[in-house]
Amino acid sequence: MNSPLRLLRDLFPFSQPQAENKAAEAFQGRLMTTTGLSPLEIVGRLTTEFLPRISSQTNLHMRFKLLEDVRHEAENALPVLEGHIAKAVLPLPREATNAAIHADNLLKGMVNAYTGIARSILNNHHNSALSHLLHRAIERAISTLARRQLLAYRAYAAPSPASWLALHELYQMACDPRIKPLNGETAPIEHEYLGALLFAYLEPNKLPRAELDQVHACTLQLAAYAIVGDASPGAQSRHSAESCFLARPDRGSPGYPLTRLPAGTSAETGLIIDCTPVLAALDRNLSRQPGQTVQPPLDASPVLLQSLRVAIGGKTARRFSRNRFKPRADLVGGLSQVITFLDGNAFSRRSLDAIGRGDAQELNPSEWSLVDESPDGFLIRFIKGEKWNIGAGDIVALQPRESSKIHVCLVRRIATTRNRLELGLQLLSPQVSLVEIPVQDAASLRAIFLHSLPAYGKFSGLIVPPGRLAANQQITFNTLGRTLSRQIGKCIEANEGLEFVALDQLPE
């Protein structure tokens, strides 16, 4: 039975027993022995040696302090592993997979340790006396859990349902929109919670991996504008369904758009996440004039901000149903490889056709299963072949094995599930050609001409290396025995590997 003196020792760090002080000093001394180790070794030792020792600390203040020491030490290793995973080819090779497993285990262990402190306070009814420690532990647990989910997104993997259940539970430990208003301790917790949900709503598996950190930084700014409330009967009528999401804490997911709720899901229980102010913040940045100051100042290109707005605004519903079938196809990725592929090097079913194709040796093809097809895209699954640093927004050329037709597509979604890599591809045009565009003071520029763009409007398009053509520039090129003159129009999409622009008719 705990005596009043024992209770005081648990509550106040200055009254902890001398033995615990010595144990804490020994722990910190051992932590110094990780200096000079590789990032993988540091992460491994923190997970298997140091985190288990923390749970033996009975003083909650000391336990939190030691856990913070581990967190600071982890910053010497985790960013290195996270960067390695973000740049690794897909599917992840063994070295990157090993790094991902070690980093995930450490983050998971830290989440459990912070959560354990919060649960100990609540279970022993010390929350009134240890309110500050309770909220700090919950905030750390949520931010670490969000980092663990971001680690999964770096490999285009979906966070586990258990991680979403844990996130909802942590939020409910401290914040209940039906009971208590936010204060200085609970507001940061709600901000971290909404940041994790909002990042999931932005559909990271449809974003280039090189832009994930940039989007994540924008998300933390935009989270301050999201509003969470009780999904009581009639609450849906008070919100704009196109920019709202339903989060069910009893389900292992971040939530669903109100416009696309799964069958049988009631919108009268759970939490409504209203992102209408988030859309307004994105619009302010999209309409910002040079030199103008807006809040929040998002550090992202207009093209990227527009894609975030589309994800939040609920306009990404599929326009066509898909047909399921499983033929196979060859795929090459990256603008230079796609151009080489189109330049007479498409694979043929006859081996003799490949004789004399010197350029074809530069290609790095891979074999994929065509899982689904619709009029405007494909779902494909990796089988074997050359791995490459694929990302959402990359251009690929796909040639089904039973056809000589080449489909030029953009990668719109990437998923790694059960050790399978799947790509969602958007078919850009029913007809494409390789063209040469004369440019000043340089050799002609090779580009991909898209004869029509059904998904974008009644105009043609061009895909070129980034930074080579200017807006409103007039160009002339030959295709299909004709000479065409066009003007560079709006930029539809751009990233570090390509620019996808509209081609306008020249003014009369």
PDB file of all heavy atoms in Angstrom, residues 213-225:
ATOM      1  N   ASP A 213       8.533  16.165 -47.559  1.00  0.00           N
ATOM      2  CA  ASP A 213       8.915  17.014 -46.425  1.00  0.00           C
ATOM      3  C   ASP A 213       8.343  18.418 -46.581  1.00  0.00           C
ATOM      4  O   ASP A 213       7.915  19.035 -45.604  1.00  0.00           O
ATOM      5  CB  ASP A 213      10.437  17.069 -46.295  1.00  0.00           C
ATOM      6  CG  ASP A 213      11.023  15.778 -45.746  1.00  0.00           C
ATOM      7  OD1 ASP A 213      10.344  15.117 -44.942  1.00  0.00           O
ATOM      8  OD2 ASP A 213      12.152  15.419 -46.130  1.00  0.00           O
ATOM      9  N   GLN A 214       8.337  18.918 -47.812  1.00  0.00           N
ATOM     10  CA  GLN A 214       7.784  20.241 -48.071  1.00  0.00           C
ATOM     11  C   GLN A 214       6.286  20.261 -47.795  1.00  0.00           C
ATOM     12  O   GLN A 214       5.763  21.183 -47.153  1.00  0.00           O
ATOM     13  CB  GLN A 214       8.064  20.634 -49.521  1.00  0.00           C
ATOM     14  CG  GLN A 214       7.679  22.068 -49.873  1.00  0.00           C
ATOM     15  CD  GLN A 214       7.995  22.396 -51.312  1.00  0.00           C
ATOM     16  OE1 GLN A 214       8.030  21.526 -52.176  1.00  0.00           O
ATOM     17  NE2 GLN A 214       8.234  23.672 -51.587  1.00  0.00           N
ATOM     18  N   VAL A 215       5.581  19.231 -48.254  1.00  0.00           N
ATOM     19  CA  VAL A 215       4.141  19.143 -48.011  1.00  0.00           C
ATOM     20  C   VAL A 215       3.864  18.972 -46.522  1.00  0.00           C
ATOM     21  O   VAL A 215       2.916  19.560 -45.980  1.00  0.00           O
ATOM     22  CB  VAL A 215       3.526  17.981 -48.817  1.00  0.00           C
ATOM     23  CG1 VAL A 215       2.064  17.786 -48.445  1.00  0.00           C
ATOM     24  CG2 VAL A 215       3.651  18.249 -50.306  1.00  0.00           C
ATOM     25  N   HIS A 216       4.688  18.190 -45.840  1.00  0.00           N
ATOM     26  CA  HIS A 216       4.496  17.977 -44.408  1.00  0.00           C
ATOM     27  C   HIS A 216       4.650  19.289 -43.649  1.00  0.00           C
ATOM     28  O   HIS A 216       3.886  19.574 -42.715  1.00  0.00           O
ATOM     29  CB  HIS A 216       5.485  16.931 -43.897  1.00  0.00           C
ATOM     30  CG  HIS A 216       5.229  16.491 -42.500  1.00  0.00           C
ATOM     31  ND1 HIS A 216       5.985  16.923 -41.433  1.00  0.00           N
ATOM     32  CD2 HIS A 216       4.285  15.676 -41.964  1.00  0.00           C
ATOM     33  CE1 HIS A 216       5.535  16.389 -40.321  1.00  0.00           C
ATOM     34  NE2 HIS A 216       4.501  15.623 -40.609  1.00  0.00           N
ATOM     35  N   ALA A 217       5.633  20.110 -44.041  1.00  0.00           N
ATOM     36  CA  ALA A 217       5.808  21.410 -43.399  1.00  0.00           C
ATOM     37  C   ALA A 217       4.586  22.302 -43.637  1.00  0.00           C
ATOM     38  O   ALA A 217       4.121  23.004 -42.726  1.00  0.00           O
ATOM     39  CB  ALA A 217       7.075  22.090 -43.915  1.00  0.00           C
ATOM     40  N   CYS A 218       4.048  22.268 -44.863  1.00  0.00           N
ATOM     41  CA  CYS A 218       2.822  23.030 -45.152  1.00  0.00           C
ATOM     42  C   CYS A 218       1.653  22.526 -44.316  1.00  0.00           C
ATOM     43  O   CYS A 218       0.822  23.309 -43.837  1.00  0.00           O
ATOM     44  CB  CYS A 218       2.477  22.934 -46.639  1.00  0.00           C
ATOM     45  SG  CYS A 218       3.623  23.791 -47.733  1.00  0.00           S
ATOM     46  N   THR A 219       1.597  21.208 -44.134  1.00  0.00           N
ATOM     47  CA  THR A 219       0.499  20.616 -43.371  1.00  0.00           C
ATOM     48  C   THR A 219       0.487  21.121 -41.934  1.00  0.00           C
ATOM     49  O   THR A 219      -0.575  21.434 -41.382  1.00  0.00           O
ATOM     50  CB  THR A 219       0.615  19.087 -43.376  1.00  0.00           C
ATOM     51  OG1 THR A 219       0.615  18.618 -44.723  1.00  0.00           O
ATOM     52  CG2 THR A 219      -0.550  18.452 -42.642  1.00  0.00           C
ATOM     53  N   LEU A 220       1.668  21.211 -41.322  1.00  0.00           N
ATOM     54  CA  LEU A 220       1.729  21.685 -39.943  1.00  0.00           C
ATOM     55  C   LEU A 220       1.255  23.135 -39.838  1.00  0.00           C
ATOM     56  O   LEU A 220       0.682  23.536 -38.820  1.00  0.00           O
ATOM     57  CB  LEU A 220       3.154  21.548 -39.413  1.00  0.00           C
ATOM     58  CG  LEU A 220       3.655  20.108 -39.230  1.00  0.00           C
ATOM     59  CD1 LEU A 220       5.086  20.096 -38.721  1.00  0.00           C
ATOM     60  CD2 LEU A 220       2.745  19.335 -38.284  1.00  0.00           C
ATOM     61  N   GLN A 221       1.488  23.935 -40.886  1.00  0.00           N
ATOM     62  CA  GLN A 221       0.966  25.299 -40.892  1.00  0.00           C
ATOM     63  C   GLN A 221      -0.546  25.307 -41.097  1.00  0.00           C
ATOM     64  O   GLN A 221      -1.278  26.045 -40.440  1.00  0.00           O
ATOM     65  CB  GLN A 221       1.639  26.117 -41.994  1.00  0.00           C
ATOM     66  CG  GLN A 221       3.116  26.398 -41.770  1.00  0.00           C
ATOM     67  CD  GLN A 221       3.736  27.132 -42.947  1.00  0.00           C
ATOM     68  OE1 GLN A 221       4.176  26.514 -43.909  1.00  0.00           O
ATOM     69  NE2 GLN A 221       3.755  28.448 -42.877  1.00  0.00           N
ATOM     70  N   LEU A 222      -1.022  24.471 -42.009  1.00  0.00           N
ATOM     71  CA  LEU A 222      -2.444  24.451 -42.330  1.00  0.00           C
ATOM     72  C   LEU A 222      -3.283  23.818 -41.229  1.00  0.00           C
ATOM     73  O   LEU A 222      -4.476  24.104 -41.119  1.00  0.00           O
ATOM     74  CB  LEU A 222      -2.666  23.683 -43.638  1.00  0.00           C
ATOM     75  CG  LEU A 222      -2.108  24.346 -44.903  1.00  0.00           C
ATOM     76  CD1 LEU A 222      -2.147  23.383 -46.075  1.00  0.00           C
ATOM     77  CD2 LEU A 222      -2.887  25.612 -45.233  1.00  0.00           C
ATOM     78  N   ALA A 223      -2.672  22.960 -40.400  1.00  0.00           N
ATOM     79  CA  ALA A 223      -3.423  22.287 -39.340  1.00  0.00           C
ATOM     80  C   ALA A 223      -4.041  23.285 -38.373  1.00  0.00           C
ATOM     81  O   ALA A 223      -5.071  22.994 -37.746  1.00  0.00           O
ATOM     82  CB  ALA A 223      -2.523  21.311 -38.590  1.00  0.00           C
ATOM     83  N   ALA A 224      -3.420  24.457 -38.246  1.00  0.00           N
ATOM     84  CA  ALA A 224      -3.960  25.475 -37.338  1.00  0.00           C
ATOM     85  C   ALA A 224      -5.312  26.005 -37.807  1.00  0.00           C
ATOM     86  O   ALA A 224      -6.048  26.620 -37.022  1.00  0.00           O
ATOM     87  CB  ALA A 224      -2.966  26.629 -37.210  1.00  0.00           C
ATOM     88  N   TYR A 225      -5.652  25.749 -39.077  1.00  0.00           N
ATOM     89  CA  TYR A 225      -6.900  26.272 -39.635  1.00  0.00           C
ATOM     90  C   TYR A 225      -8.010  25.220 -39.682  1.00  0.00           C
ATOM     91  O   TYR A 225      -9.170  25.560 -39.922  1.00  0.00           O
ATOM     92  CB  TYR A 225      -6.651  26.830 -41.044  1.00  0.00           C
ATOM     93  CG  TYR A 225      -5.718  28.018 -41.028  1.00  0.00           C
ATOM     94  CD1 TYR A 225      -4.329  27.842 -41.017  1.00  0.00           C
ATOM     95  CD2 TYR A 225      -6.208  29.314 -40.994  1.00  0.00           C
ATOM     96  CE1 TYR A 225      -3.470  28.926 -40.983  1.00  0.00           C
ATOM     97  CE2 TYR A 225      -5.365  30.408 -40.966  1.00  0.00           C
ATOM     98  CZ  TYR A 225      -3.994  30.206 -40.949  1.00  0.00           C
ATOM     99  OH  TYR A 225      -3.137  31.289 -40.905  1.00  0.00           O
TER     100      TYR A 225
END
